[in-house]
Amino acid sequence: MISAKLPKIFYGGDYNPEQWPEAVWAEDVKLMREAGVNLVSVGIFSWARLQPNERTYDWGWFDRVLDLLAANGILACVATATASPPAWMSTKYPDVLAVDAEGKPYYPGARQHYSPCSPTYRRLAAALVTRMAKRYAKHPALAAWHINNEYGCHMSECHGEASTRAWRGWLKNRYGTLEALNAAWGTAFWSQHYYSWEEILTPRRAPYHPNPTQQVDFKRFMSDAFLELCTMERDILRAATPEVPITTNFMGFFKPLDHWRWAREIDFTAWDSYPDPATGHAAEAAAACGHDLTRSLKKERPFVLMEQVTSQVNWRPTNLLKRPGVMRLWSLQAVARGADGVMFFQWRASQGGAEKFHGAMVPHGGTAESRVWREVKALGADLARLEPVVGSRIQARVAITVDWNAWWGVELDSRPGRINYAATVAEFHRYFFERNIAVDFVHPGADLGDYDLVVAPALYLLAKNDAVNLEKFVARGGVLFTTYFSGVADENDRIVLGGYPGYLRRVLGLWVEEWSPMMEGETNRVRFAKTTAKDGVKGPTRVATCSHWCEVVHLEGARALATFAEDFFAGGPALTANAFGQGAAYYLATKLDAPELARVLDGVCARAKVGPVMASVPKDVEVSLRERDGARFLFLMNHGAKAARVRLAGVGAGAGAKFAGVDLLTGERVGRAVTVAALGVRVIEVGT
Ligand code: GLA
């Protein structure tokens, strides 16, 4: 459970009362009650209203908002308001402004223009948060703290003076000596040797590729610099209210922040999910991927879907709305995948400002005739019925590795070809999503004891310890599946010499001599040998198309399950399996299209003995199981346009398992099979 004060599914949204006359607030709380709202995030962009100048704070209106909420039984996730500094601040102290790689400042007038390293920003943010924490520590409405907002979202790099100074400090801390830095960065190349710390700059506008290790380190540094802001605020809040849980809202696969480092500093994870309705079924796959990541970042506690939209956003070139029923379906999908909170941006649609065309729980036209409002109210009622689910967890036996260092490294300039890291990870996630196999994300260095199968796509940059961790996982009986261009460089983006994939060479039983990316539209073919279940990939001889990347692989104990059929690569291994210790390690030296990859992964899952909860689920029906103290909650979500009939029968190790029970949403008792309406959801408490 996230908060003992609110043992329910959180339901509400960003509430920005400062945009409205106080007369509207009374209507707000009345409508919140009508919709079943139990929590709102307040104050996210309130700094200018809370502090008119450096010496004056204006808490009166904020007191009244919190009092009003408390009087109406609505709790608050109180935001620290530090995401958008007031204009007076940069007028008085221009050093708070962030500076881009060309040396140009970001000016106020939008939001998030501050430099994370500005001592002035830090001082004023700390002063605000200290007062806020003290003032509201005992307020009955306070249920959680929301630090800042979407750190790094619009501005994730600062090259100003304070940032450059802090960067040098960070480097001293990492390397200790200039010799160590010069060695790690490979500054013997292009006459880049540094003789004093003052010579070192952030990677700014340069005539050609800046030093790659400097670039990777700068990403690490910036992620840490923003994190320092977050922990600074957290420490102030924690000192005032040790029992109140603290979060900040993430954005799923967001490249600038190393989320593994971040998640351990907060009490519960939260994210903002805006899948594009224009992308069809890819939208729910993308949302599932973000939910699984946010849940995995802090496995021990449920997460919160902190923001989504009721209808349409305003920041894409074309902003399709969610059709009737989709908002409910996607909200319950978040719960199905581990969320204990469903929130929106925002409560009431703004009249002015840059987000007035962004959907909200209360639309411009009011509530009476509004489809959105009807759906908002119905969702509140549904979530109240799901109270028994609170605190339950998802038990995955499969994990996909995600490492921000690998992401930063693989997408730099000066690589052999383009690899889109997040898209590659998402392709693998989609297989498990479509097969309804529960999947977590993990850091490659994490404890892998919970898993039977670990998929490690494009782990280009891989620290030795992490490679050893993966090797141990296999030695102890795990199944590892990794892909081309993995293990190539160490954590300093220096090639691991002696044959790729470096420290993974032994566990994979092969080495890679060279590679070639393929041009857009170019293909090769892969010939699969006839295989049996024993090989992990069962099937007759077949030929499939591959694209994107080809490698020259030499076997050192591994067996080729498939070979390239064309070009200079013909006859060389394209897919290999290596028995290692008690387990097995697979290597895919190219990119297969989705159906072919699915066939391969079917075999790998069979080898690892992992599978879905239930057999023969109709297409477009998503299945998820949450569990707690023997209680089990089966979620069936129909993303299709037609009603689907689902047989409630277990599969694999769970064969014979029955999922009869009570549908928490309808109270209906269901037995052997159940119909899930188009865009419908069933949440069956199994065994009741
Ligand atoms: C983000 C921000 C919100 C708002 C929404 C709009 O998630 O956190 O303040 O701008 O986007 O979609």
Side-chain angles (χ1 to χ4, degrees), residues 87-402:
W88 61 256
M89 194 185 300
S90 45
T91 306
K92 189 166 176 191
Y93 302 110
D95 71 284
V96 301
L97 298 179
V99 175
D100 71 10
E102 307 209 336
K104 296 191 203 124
Y106 291 92
Y107 293 103
R111 62 178 175 185
Q112 233 180 55
H113 47 274
Y114 61 88
S115 161
C117 301
S118 154
T120 312
Y121 171 82
R122 290 188 179 199
R123 173 173 63 81
L124 293 170
L128 176 75
V129 178
T130 305
R131 283 173 174 77
M132 187 180 248
K134 191 162 167 233
R135 190 169 189 96
Y136 299 115
K138 298 267 173 305
H139 198 284
L142 176 68
W145 292 110
H146 178 301
I147 296 182
N148 199 281
N149 191 65
E150 293 189 341
Y151 274 110
C153 173
H154 310 297
M155 197 289 299
S156 57
E157 282 191 0
C158 177
H159 300 260
E161 261 177 52
S163 297
T164 306
R165 266 198 313 277
W167 156 240
R168 290 179 190 138
W170 186 92
L171 290 170
K172 277 183 197 160
N173 196 32
R174 181 174 175 88
Y175 294 108
T177 65
L178 272 176
E179 287 65 42
L181 178 141
N182 278 308
W185 285 18
T187 55
F189 187 77
W190 283 349
S191 182
Q192 291 173 351
H193 192 94
Y194 293 104
Y195 290 95
S196 96
W197 294 100
E198 280 58 50
E199 291 164 10
I200 302 174
L201 299 175
T202 57
R204 301 180 183 178
R205 191 170 83 98
Y208 197 38
H209 308 310
N211 180 299
T213 315
Q214 178 192 15
Q215 292 194 62
V216 172
D217 270 348
F218 187 63
K219 298 221 178 292
R220 291 177 175 136
F221 159 69
M222 267 296 146
S223 172
D224 283 359
F226 281 104
L227 181 56
E228 248 178 63
L229 293 183
C230 181
T231 54
M232 173 189 82
E233 293 195 18
R234 180 211 55 197
D235 291 346
I236 296 168
L237 299 171
R238 217 171 250 173
T241 57
E243 72 296 346
V244 177
I246 300 171
T247 195
T248 185
N249 47 344
F250 295 146
M251 288 164 279
F253 282 81
F254 179 63
K255 189 174 171 185
L257 307 183
D258 181 343
H259 288 48
W260 296 116
R261 288 171 71 82
W262 278 69
R264 56 182 189 231
E265 304 294 349
I266 52 178
D267 297 323
F268 67 99
T269 55
W271 84 296
D272 303 341
S273 172
Y274 292 98
D276 187 353
T279 58
H281 288 305
E284 60 253 13
C289 197
H291 295 321
D292 287 351
L293 175 69
T294 312
R295 182 191 71 241
S296 305
L297 289 171
K298 218 167 178 66
K299 266 175 69 174
E300 67 275 17
R301 232 169 180 193
F303 69 95
V304 170
L305 171 58
M306 189 60 89
E307 287 183 27
Q308 58 167 341
V309 69
T310 50
S311 52
Q312 71 214 123
V313 299
N314 69 317
W315 40 263
R316 293 193 174 99
T318 307
N319 299 292
L320 266 55
L321 57 70
K322 293 178 182 170
R323 304 275 156 174
V326 172
M327 185 263 274
R328 172 182 189 262
L329 174 63
W330 289 2
S331 297
L332 297 180
Q333 181 196 33
V335 179
R337 302 192 85 90
D340 272 5
V342 173
M343 315 273 290
F344 291 90
F345 177 84
Q346 59 176 331
W347 164 250
R348 183 181 281 278
S350 303
Q351 185 176 17
E355 293 188 321
K356 55 182 169 290
F357 292 114
H358 194 287
M361 298 170 85
V362 179
H364 288 141
T367 53
E369 303 298 326
S370 154
R371 168 185 76 86
V372 163
W373 177 249
R374 278 196 301 279
E375 293 194 18
V376 162
K377 275 204 307 188
L379 179 61
D382 278 334
L383 293 173
R385 294 181 190 110
L386 295 186
E387 205 176 306
V389 170
V390 169
S392 59
R393 295 185 38 197
I394 288 171
Q395 316 275 356
R397 308 295 306 167
V398 180
I400 301 173
T401 62
V402 184

Side-chain angles (χ1 to χ4, degrees), residues 407-440:
W407 189 352
W408 294 329
V410 79
E411 291 185 359
L412 277 190
D413 46 39
S414 71
R415 313 283 106 163
R418 278 171 195 275
I419 293 179
N420 181 327
Y421 183 76
T424 307
V425 167
E427 270 164 35
F428 281 92
H429 181 270
R430 185 142 187 186
Y431 163 81
F432 296 102
F433 171 71
E434 284 179 354
R435 288 286 191 273
N436 286 310
I437 298 173
V439 58
D440 285 343

